[in-house]
């Protein structure tokens, strides 16, 4: 086994744990910050900070950080509009009326929805029977958590969980459209440029809805929440997550999104006294089951890797001799 493979194997659990912790605590930091900063302005500030840091990281660490093709521009637009602006604006609005743990649970629907949308929008993606079953099961889980009302969607008078669900849908759609663009940029560079697109748009919408700097309560807590969300949850966690994808693949890396709700729920309980309802817990487990069904082949492969290999007769005799 090469030194490089050993290093990769050892850093994978570290990256996995750090990403889960940073993202999980991030939901709590957003919830805390919303007590001091209007939601859309908070999301805009997050994008401002992260865009600067991620673009600097991309310039220093990647070779092709400049968008050069039409496909790059399309990918950046899709990322800016759907992956970032749509998902973050709806998440921050929804978290005003929801808890950190529930928001993280709803966003754990993203990997399932991404696979389902990819099967519809990408010609090289198809869903197996288990995949279709997984989508249905995950949708049941989402319904248990969100309990959506068609009447509220039609009237526009949405509850917090419904806003967050729309944010998760926007996130998944943006991810698929980015893949469909067939861009040449590295993911971290594309994300940085997408933030540069999304940030001014978020500021404009924030102003249009009546938010202003005067509405910010500039406390140490507000600043800490903003810095955590902009720096640690985004500028630090995103490169780690992309590295994790490079190391173990997108499917295995997406398992982190089912640890994030656990971290967010525990942190929300410890720091804010939030309680996770039984419906939310059951819904989360059902969503996770749907994800496992959709990725049954990958799950089987992972299980096989950790299953002890049978010992042959000769090997058994050698082992007995060694013990003697």
């Amino acid at each position: 086994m090469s030194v490089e493979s050993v290093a990769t194997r050892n850093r994978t659990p570290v990256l996995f744990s750090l990403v889960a912790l940073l993202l999980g605590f991030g939901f709590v930091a957003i919830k805390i910050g919303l007590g001091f900063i209007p939601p859309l302005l908070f999301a805009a500030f997050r994008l401002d900070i992260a865009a600067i840091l991620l673009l600097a990281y991309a310039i220093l660490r990647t070779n092709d950080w400049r968008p050069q093709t039409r496909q790059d521009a399309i990918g950046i637009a899709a990322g800016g509009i759907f992956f970032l602006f749509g998902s973050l604006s709806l998440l921050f609005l929804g978290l005003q009326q929801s808890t950190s743990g529930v928001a993280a649970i709803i966003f754990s629907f993203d990997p399932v929805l991404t696979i389902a949308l990819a099967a519809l929008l990408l010609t090289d993606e198809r869903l197996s029977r288990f995949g279709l079953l997984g989508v249905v099961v995950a949708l049941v889980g989402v319904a248990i958590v969100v309990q959506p009302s068609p009447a509220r969607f039609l009237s526009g008078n949405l509850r917090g969980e419904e806003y967050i669900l729309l944010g998760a849908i926007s996130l998944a759609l943006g991810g698929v459209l980015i893949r469909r663009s067939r861009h040449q940029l590295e993911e971290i560079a594309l994300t940085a440029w997408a933030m540069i697109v999304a940030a001014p748009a978020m500021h404009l919408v924030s102003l249009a809805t009546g938010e202003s700097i005067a509405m910010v309560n500039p406390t140490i807590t507000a600043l800490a929440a903003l810095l955590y969300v902009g720096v640690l949850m985004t500028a630090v966690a995103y490169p780690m997550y992309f590295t994790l994808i490079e190391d173990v693949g997108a499917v295995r890396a997406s398992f982190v999104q089912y640890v994030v709700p656990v971290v967010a729920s525990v942190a929300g309980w410890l720091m804010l006294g939030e309680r996770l309802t039984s419906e939310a817990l059951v819904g989360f487990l059902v969503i996770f089951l749907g994800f496992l069904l959709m990725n049954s082949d990958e799950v089987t492969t992972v299980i096989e890797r950790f299953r002890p290999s049978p010992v042959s007769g000769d090997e058994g005799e050698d082992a007995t001799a060694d013990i003697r």
Side-chain angles (χ1 to χ4, degrees):
M1 183 178 294
S2 67
V3 173
E4 183 178 354
S5 64
V6 171
T8 298
R9 185 184 64 183
N10 290 337
R11 79 176 179 180
T12 295
V14 175
L15 284 174
F16 189 97
S17 301
L18 286 175
V19 171
L21 288 171
L22 290 173
L23 295 181
F25 276 97
F27 281 94
V28 180
I30 294 171
K31 183 68 176 179
I32 292 172
L34 287 171
F36 303 90
I37 310 172
L40 297 178
L41 187 58
F42 190 5
F45 286 156
R46 173 189 180 176
L47 289 169
D48 293 337
I49 295 170
I52 295 170
L53 295 176
L54 280 182
L55 185 59
Y57 178 89
I59 292 172
L60 293 173
R61 298 297 299 271
T62 62
N63 295 322
D64 300 322
W65 58 270
R66 298 181 183 87
Q68 298 180 359
T69 67
R70 180 172 176 270
Q71 287 73 25
D72 291 343
I74 293 172
I76 290 169
I81 295 169
F82 295 102
F83 191 79
L84 292 169
F85 175 82
S87 66
L88 292 182
S89 60
L90 291 163
L91 170 63
F92 279 60
L93 288 170
L95 258 172
Q96 294 179 110
Q97 308 170 45
S98 186
T99 66
S100 313
V102 168
I105 287 172
I106 296 172
F107 260 60
S108 72
F109 181 49
D110 168 62
V112 174
L113 190 57
T114 297
I115 295 173
L117 288 175
L120 291 174
L121 300 177
L122 303 179
T123 56
D124 57 344
E125 298 283 346
R126 290 291 182 271
L127 276 178
S128 64
R129 292 180 180 178
F130 272 115
L132 288 171
L133 177 60
V135 172
V136 173
V137 170
L139 283 172
V140 171
V142 170
I144 293 172
V145 178
V146 179
Q147 300 179 15
S149 166
R152 284 196 297 269
F153 277 97
L154 291 174
S155 66
N157 186 26
L158 301 181
R159 293 166 52 246
E161 290 79 11
E162 290 163 336
Y163 276 114
I164 296 168
L165 175 59
L166 290 176
I169 293 172
S170 182
L171 180 70
L173 178 60
V176 173
L177 291 178
I178 289 172
R179 288 171 56 190
R180 188 172 181 176
S181 71
R182 302 190 184 282
H183 63 88
Q184 301 301 311
L185 282 172
E186 292 193 29
E187 295 296 335
I188 197 69
L190 184 138
T191 303
W193 285 108
M195 287 181 174
I196 292 173
V197 170
M202 194 76 78
H203 278 288
L204 289 174
V205 174
S206 171
L207 287 172
T209 57
E211 296 181 354
S212 68
I213 295 291
M215 299 171 66
V216 175
N217 184 6
T219 66
I220 296 296
T221 302
L223 179 61
L226 176 59
L227 289 177
Y228 186 97
V229 171
V231 179
L232 296 179
M233 186 185 187
T234 310
V236 174
Y238 278 26
M240 285 184 178
Y241 187 59
F242 289 135
T243 301
L244 192 62
I245 291 174
E246 292 174 2
D247 287 351
V248 300
V251 173
R252 295 181 188 178
S254 63
F255 273 90
V256 77
Q257 299 196 49
Y258 296 94
V259 180
V260 171
V262 178
V263 176
S265 298
V266 173
W269 170 61
L270 291 174
M271 300 173 69
L272 301 174
E274 295 178 341
R275 299 287 181 178
L276 197 63
T277 65
S278 56
E279 291 86 355
L281 178 59
V282 171
F284 169 63
L285 294 175
V286 175
I287 294 171
F288 184 50
L289 175 60
F291 172 78
L292 294 178
L293 288 171
M294 293 188 75
N295 297 282
S296 55
D297 291 341
E298 183 71 22
V299 172
T300 302
T301 301
V302 172
I303 293 173
E304 289 295 334
R305 287 184 61 186
F306 288 97
R307 181 177 296 172
S309 57
V311 180
S312 65
D314 292 339
E315 291 174 342
E317 291 174 3
D318 292 342
T320 303
D322 290 339
I323 292 173
R324 293 173 183 169

